[in-house]
Amino acid sequence: MDNAMVALTAETRSMRLEIAGFQSQISRLDQRVTTVETQATSLANRDQELLHLRSRLTDLEHRSRKNNIRLLGVLEGTEGSDIPSYLQDMLPKLTDITFDPPLEFQRAHRLGPKRQDGKGYPRPIIACMLRHGQARQLLQTA
């Protein structure tokens, strides 16, 4: 009986050590799961923020282009060195519209490099107007 009791006690100690090892592993796994859950929540928040920022960027890009007009077929060199002034004079005459206040441009320029041979179609002019209503009125008239 003593031998059986000693064997049973040894087996119980061995099981206790095994259980303690399992508890340690479970504790480590629990910590890892908690860390992964925290990171997943953080990534989900970042995804939402990224979607919001992309939406804002798209909106801003569309707004910045809203006042742009593109003019095709204007012969090279007719505008001189000051394209905005040329457009302020030319566009009201071409469209027979009197603008009040007068047309104002933030910037205007030709697209692409100047052609060396002088052949082909003239480069388009891109003009960013100061007022969206005037840009819309020009486009409707055109």
Side-chain angles (χ1 to χ4, degrees), residues 30-86:
D30 186 44
Q31 288 175 352
R32 289 176 64 188
V33 167
T34 302
T35 302
V36 168
E37 286 174 342
T38 303
Q39 289 174 349
T41 302
S42 174
L43 287 175
N45 291 340
R46 286 184 184 171
D47 285 346
Q48 289 296 324
E49 184 181 0
L50 181 61
L51 287 174
H52 176 71
L53 290 174
R54 282 184 181 166
S55 171
R56 286 189 60 202
L57 176 64
T58 302
D59 182 50
L60 289 173
E61 285 176 344
H62 289 305
R63 283 183 193 213
S64 70
R65 293 183 192 143
K66 198 178 201 179
N67 296 347
N68 288 355
I69 59 169
R70 185 171 61 170
L71 303 164
L72 304 173
V74 179
L75 294 176
E76 299 260 352
T78 57
E79 72 277 2
S81 62
D82 189 13
I83 296 176
S85 295
Y86 172 75

